[in-house]
Amino acid sequence: MTDLDQRVARIKAGYEACFACGAGNPIGLQIGGFESTGGVVSAQFTPRADYCGFEDILHGGIIATALDEMLSWTAILLESVMVVTAKLKLRYAKPAPVAATYRLTGALEERRGRRLLLRGECRTGPGQVVASASGLFLVVSESDDLVLASTT
């Protein structure tokens, strides 16, 4: 297990019920497989069949949730802070099949004090962007330590 894997596991241990990343939530997205390279954080998820919106297309709200979570984890892993979403802007590029595995990426564009501007993408494969997001996130704790984060 890498240092990143251990760090992610430590943080996720406090969020087992999280709809987006919690391994203990049987109906959640269970986003996992986090990697961080060159200022870009990535992860993946495979939707359940019942996340369908229209016929065999993944519901846009599920994509929005996945991207929001990816951007939060980008802040956690790149800046070691806990954040909340203040503003999220989405662009859907093409229909996303429900029967696919998605690669999520996130990067920090700018940090000004407690304000982080983040951007991310949701892909089915190389060059296959189904949605992108940019957002403003606010730091609620200057630590990714759960004990510190819950008391600040």
Side-chain angles (χ1 to χ4, degrees), residues 76-136:
I76 292 167
L77 296 177
L78 295 183
E79 294 291 307
S80 297
V81 295
M82 299 303 273
V83 295
V84 293
T85 309
K87 189 183 304 184
L88 186 64
K89 180 179 177 183
L90 296 161
R91 181 181 176 280
Y92 296 95
K94 62 193 303 183
V98 76
T101 295
Y102 290 89
R103 193 79 180 149
L104 305 166
T105 58
L108 174 67
E109 288 190 339
E110 179 180 353
R111 180 171 183 183
R112 290 187 186 173
R114 292 183 52 238
R115 300 165 61 99
L116 281 75
L117 297 175
L118 300 159
R119 63 178 165 75
E121 292 182 332
C122 178
R123 298 173 177 266
T124 56
Q128 300 295 314
V129 176
V130 296
S132 58
S134 60
L136 171 65

